[in-house]
Amino acid sequence: KLYPNLAEAIANTLESLRNEKEMSKSSLADFADIERCYLRDIEKGNRKPTVNTIFCLCEALQVDPIDFFKRVVGEIERLENKKAPQYLLR
């Protein structure tokens, strides 16, 4: 099964958490030990990170991976509702 909003939901969640922690992309990439261009592509929704990468990012952000994925699920729901025709939401 494909989740068409997954990459965008991960991107939005990651960017939101990074901003909450007041971290630059550069410092997050350094703390997570990943390439800056890889992080940039993840935040643009162009790359789907591995589970290992997500765990590294969560550790760098000091966020429990379970909480990260809960936020991703919430973001997927938000994106799906945003893209659904309004008559279906009533």
Side-chain angles (χ1 to χ4, degrees):
K1 180 175 178 178
L2 293 177
Y3 291 89
N5 297 316
L6 181 59
E8 184 178 1
I10 289 172
N12 293 348
T13 302
L14 188 57
E15 183 178 20
S16 176
L17 284 166
R18 184 177 56 74
N19 289 331
E20 287 173 23
K21 301 289 183 171
E22 298 180 351
M23 293 180 79
S24 67
K25 288 179 190 172
S26 183
S27 63
L28 177 56
D30 288 344
F31 281 117
D33 197 27
I34 63 173
E35 296 291 326
R36 291 181 182 118
C37 61
Y38 183 40
L39 177 59
R40 184 177 57 244
D41 286 345
I42 294 169
E43 280 200 8
K44 286 182 179 179
N46 296 333
R47 299 281 300 265
K48 294 178 184 170
T50 64
V51 173
N52 190 75
T53 299
I54 290 174
F55 271 69
C56 291
L57 290 164
C58 287
E59 183 178 350
L61 290 164
Q62 298 179 336
V63 173
D64 188 295
I66 292 171
D67 294 331
F68 176 83
F69 283 111
K70 284 180 181 178
R71 287 179 70 155
V72 169
V73 169
E75 183 63 12
I76 288 171
E77 292 169 356
R78 188 189 72 77
L79 290 168
E80 287 174 353
N81 288 335
K82 180 178 155 186
K83 293 175 182 176
Q86 292 301 311
Y87 67 88
L88 293 177
L89 299 176
R90 294 183 188 159

